Structure formats: structure tokens, C-alpha cells
Amino acid sequence: MPADFDVVIVGAGAAGMSLAYHLCAPGSDVPLSVALVDAPPGPLRSPQRTWCFWEPPGGPYDSSLAASWPRLRVRSADGASAVARLPRLRYKMLCSDAFEALVEQRLSRAPDLCRMEATASAVRDVPSGVGGEVLTRAACGERVLVRGRLVFDSRPPHRLPPARTTLLQHFTGWFVRTERPVFDPGTADLMDFRTPQPARGLSFGYVLPLDPHTALVEYTEFSPAPLDTDGYRRALRHYTHDVLRLGPLHVTAQEHGVIPMTDGRFPHRPGRSVYRIGTAGGATRPSTGYTFAAVQRQSRAVADQLRSGHPLRVPDPYGRRARMMDAVLLRALDSGRVDGADFFSRLFRHVPGERLLSFMDGGSRLHEDLLIGLRTPMVPMLRTVFELPFRTRRERAAAPSSPAPTGHEESAP
């Protein structure tokens, strides 16, 4: 049977919406029909959240940013701070609702786009012939089979790939408004290690000021398992009250997330005509949890090839050298061989900010990686390099899904 569409995208989170946005840009050499299948409102739909990334000023989403910063600060456990100034880059914060509104403007003008609200139960190659198919169930209970020449699946994986090391980056953030002007809108606190450290991994505070009275304040851990709700609440109250000393504040909204940090390889092509994108396709940087910039690179590359009629080759989000360095760092953190707070504090003290951001994004060159490596604890890192080939890769369940943020207000002392 002929395909219903040229491209079917499953899931309308960051990866699915980004691919639809780039595929539906005006001026294509090869017109494409696109179906975007999103789950009905409920637990399977992506919750509202914020994404952060760095790039030069004037990016395609700048009109929708919540804020951007020319300076990043890292505070060590003893309170000493290192400030990285970004002459060519900006650290940017994009809220998912603003991003979706921007994407919707383009999609609403795309003549060959079909939006579908349905739950995908199976994504697979067409049993006989060329193309893929998505078995869906609409909210009314009707089953619908959607076929495409190519299918891109952005749903979170049910299981993580076999890995030598798997940690979780898990966090809860409060959008707070304080009575006193306590925030510097020109500086984002990327990592503040004045937090109690877990037995395995590390923890830090994260502060993104929107104005002198308003900021997103998060408590983040890299560790084997998430906390419960009370654990995050206690950690955030300690950080906002005892560490930052913000005084009386109102929590206007909150967000929560769990991101896998693993050296397992995510297979991005489970079938002849089916591809995985986003976190399921390996777009999350294992050592940092950043995803949005890699999603943009991947979706732009896919769209450029399809819109120009070239054969599709989905690029790896990160190169082999970057993946190897991530595997070493994850193992060193998980084993306790490296003190995470001291490790990152030392890097930000001794490496120029924009060079370090390029390294964190997987875009640094070999000589830059070597220079950065000289600023790390050499003996434990080399020991980990030699140990990794002898470690067994094991499977584990995927990280639990993230609940949607709430929009209520509450007071904190």
C-alpha cells in the first residue's frame, strides 16, 4: 500500500516539534507531507518545562526566550565563585509553551501538515513493502493506522540500553518571587555546590534570574535514584533559605525532571524506515544532561536532507571521542574516584568559559580536549580509562516519567 505521508513524527515534545518546525520551513525543493502524532492530554503528553542551551545572539528562537545571560557562575563547596564571561555566546532559557507557540505559527501555515491527537501503541516497519506505520488509538477509542515513507519516533524509551554506568540527573525547580531584589539578571548560576552531597554522584543548585525579584531556582542531583517529593522540598527549602538567604518568597510554579546519564548507545534506527530522535535517539549528552542543542542539530540535518531530496543519513548527536570522555567521567563519578563538586569547580576556574561550553556540547577539537584534560584529576581519570573495557554492560529500566509542573502559588519562609 502507498504511504499516507512522506514523514510521520510520533510525539510533540522538543524533538518532535523541532523536526516538524524545520521540515515545514518555507522554500523546500521537495514538498513533503508530514503527520505529527501527539498523545491526548494526560500522562503521556510532554509536560511543560524549560530548556537551556548556549549559542550566539540572534538565534532562531530568540524572540521566544524567557531570558539569556552573558555570564555564568560556578560556586564551589566553600563558596568561592568563578565567573565565565561569554563574549560570543549567550546562555539561553526557552520555556516549552513559548517554543510551542512559535512552532505552531509555522505549522498553521504549512499546507501539507496533519496534526493528530492519538496514543501510539506500536511503531514499526510496514510488514511488506517500503515505509513505516504507527498504530494509534484516538481519544474516542478508534484505532487508526498511519503510514509514512519515513517514521521518526521521539517517545521516551521504555528501557535504557545496556551500559557500564548509568546515573540519573533528577531535579525539581521553583519559580520564585522574592520581596527583596536579590538576583543579578546578568549572571546565571550554572552550578552551586554549597549543597549537601549525596553518597554517590553530586548535587548542586542552579539559579536562572529573570529579574531582580524573580528566578528559576533548582536543586539537581546526579545519582542512582530520584528523591521523593519531600526530599526535593527539603533540599530546595534548605538551598533557598539557608544557602541563598532569599528571605520571604512565593513559589509561583515548579518543574521536575529525570534525565538518564548513561554510556549506553541508543540505537537510532530500529527499522528500515523507522528512526528514533531526541533522548531516545541519543541526543542527551551523557555527562551533562543537555539535550536541546543536539536536538536542533539533528532535526536541522534531517530536514535539510529530506527537503533537498538527498538520501537520509541521521547524524550521531555526539562524536566517538565525546562519548568516550563521557563514559570515563560517568564511571569516575559513580565510583567515587572523583569528587564531582571539586571536578567541575576546578574546570570552571581554569578553563575559559566559551572553550568549556564548546567541550560540554561535544564541539571541541582534539587539542582543546587535551588541554581541558590536563585540568582534571589525572590519576583517577587514567585509572578509569584502563578499567572501562573490562566492565560489563547491563540493562536497566528507563527513568521514571516527569510529572507536569504545577501552577499554584505557595509561600516559603
Side-chain angles (χ1 to χ4, degrees):
M1 292 181 63
D4 300 319
F5 301 93
D6 293 310
V7 175
V8 178
I9 302 169
V10 182
M17 292 288 276
S18 296
L19 181 56
Y21 179 81
H22 293 295
L23 285 172
C24 294
S28 175
D29 295 335
V30 180
L32 299 170
S33 58
V34 179
L36 179 59
V37 181
D38 192 18
L44 295 180
R45 178 169 286 192
S46 297
Q48 291 186 9
R49 60 186 61 205
T50 58
W51 299 301
C52 289
F53 55 101
W54 46 89
E55 65 176 7
Y61 306 128
D62 274 15
S63 63
S64 299
L65 296 176
S68 65
W69 300 270
R71 294 185 299 275
L72 295 177
R73 180 168 51 208
V74 171
R75 295 184 187 270
S76 60
D78 63 5
S81 64
V83 177
R85 290 168 173 80
L86 310 178
R88 294 181 298 274
L89 299 176
R90 292 295 181 270
Y91 190 70
K92 300 181 178 183
M93 173 183 174
L94 179 63
C95 295
S96 59
D97 55 352
F99 173 70
E100 290 165 9
L102 178 68
V103 173
E104 289 287 355
Q105 291 179 11
R106 174 174 290 183
L107 300 188
S108 65
R109 297 190 295 267
D112 295 320
L113 175 86
C114 174
R115 296 289 301 268
M116 300 180 61
E117 199 169 88
T119 301
S121 57
V123 178
R124 62 200 178 200
D125 283 324
V126 173
S128 59
V130 178
E133 60 185 18
V134 183
L135 180 61
T136 70
R137 183 186 292 273
C140 63
E142 179 185 5
R143 290 181 178 271
V144 180
L145 188 64
V146 186
R147 286 193 172 94
R149 183 166 56 88
L150 296 169
V151 177
F152 296 90
D153 189 356
S154 69
R155 296 173 301 166
H158 294 298
R159 298 197 67 81
L160 297 177
R164 293 163 295 195
T165 309
T166 297
L167 294 174
L168 299 178
Q169 180 181 157
H170 51 98
F171 57 88
T172 291
W174 287 347
F175 286 86
V176 302
R177 181 159 185 84
T178 61
E179 294 184 0
R180 297 183 294 111
V182 294
F183 300 114
D184 173 8
T187 304
D189 282 287
L190 194 67
M191 291 179 166
D192 183 348
F193 292 108
R194 296 175 296 171
T195 53
Q197 297 299 307
R200 289 171 60 188
L202 72 153
S203 75
F204 55 89
Y206 179 54
V207 183
L208 302 180
L210 305 179
D211 60 52
H213 291 269
T214 310
L216 170 61
V217 181
E218 289 190 350
Y219 173 80
T220 300
E221 278 192 15
F222 298 177
S223 61
L227 307 180
D228 58 21
T229 301
D230 286 340
Y232 291 113
R233 183 180 294 115
R234 288 193 299 270
L236 272 167
R237 288 189 182 278
H238 168 74
Y239 184 58
T240 57
H241 184 261
D242 298 328
V243 177
L244 296 180
R245 300 185 182 276
L246 299 183
L249 59 85
H250 292 287
V251 179
T252 59
Q254 56 184 301
E255 67 174 17
H256 174 76
V258 183
I259 301 170
M261 304 176 70
T262 172
D263 68 350
R265 291 297 307 275
F266 287 84
H268 64 259
R269 192 175 184 181
R272 294 187 312 273
S273 304
V274 178
Y275 296 83
R276 293 195 177 104
I277 56 174
T279 294
T284 297
R285 183 74 197 264
S287 60
T288 65
Y290 284 100
T291 305
F292 191 79
V295 162
Q296 300 312 305
R297 291 194 298 268
Q298 193 178 59
S299 58
R300 276 195 299 268
V302 169
D304 288 347
Q305 294 172 65
L306 296 181
R307 284 158 49 85
S308 61
H310 293 154
L312 177 63
R313 181 183 179 277
V314 178
D316 285 331
Y318 305 100
R320 180 177 299 178
R321 192 171 72 250
R323 295 195 303 269
M324 184 273 291
M325 292 186 294
D326 287 341
V328 172
L329 177 56
L330 287 176
R331 174 59 187 158
L333 289 174
D334 190 41
S335 65
R337 216 167 274 152
V338 165
D339 181 296
D342 178 69
F343 178 90
F344 285 105
S345 298
R346 183 187 302 186
L347 284 183
F348 273 89
R349 281 198 307 269
H350 298 295
V351 179
E354 293 192 343
R355 179 185 296 173
L356 189 54
L357 291 182
S358 177
F359 171 79
M360 291 170 64
D361 206 26
S364 53
R365 292 169 290 184
L366 176 59
H367 76 277
E368 293 174 318
D369 293 343
L370 293 174
L371 289 173
I372 291 172
L374 294 175
R375 299 297 186 178
T376 65
M378 296 294 293
V379 172
M381 297 297 278
L382 287 173
R383 178 183 171 189
T384 305
V385 169
F386 290 117
E387 174 196 68
L388 273 178
F390 302 99
R391 290 191 57 80
T392 303
R393 294 181 180 270
R394 304 179 186 278
E395 286 191 355
R396 63 167 290 170
S401 59
S402 303
T406 64
H408 71 279
E409 283 201 5
E410 64 181 64
S411 295

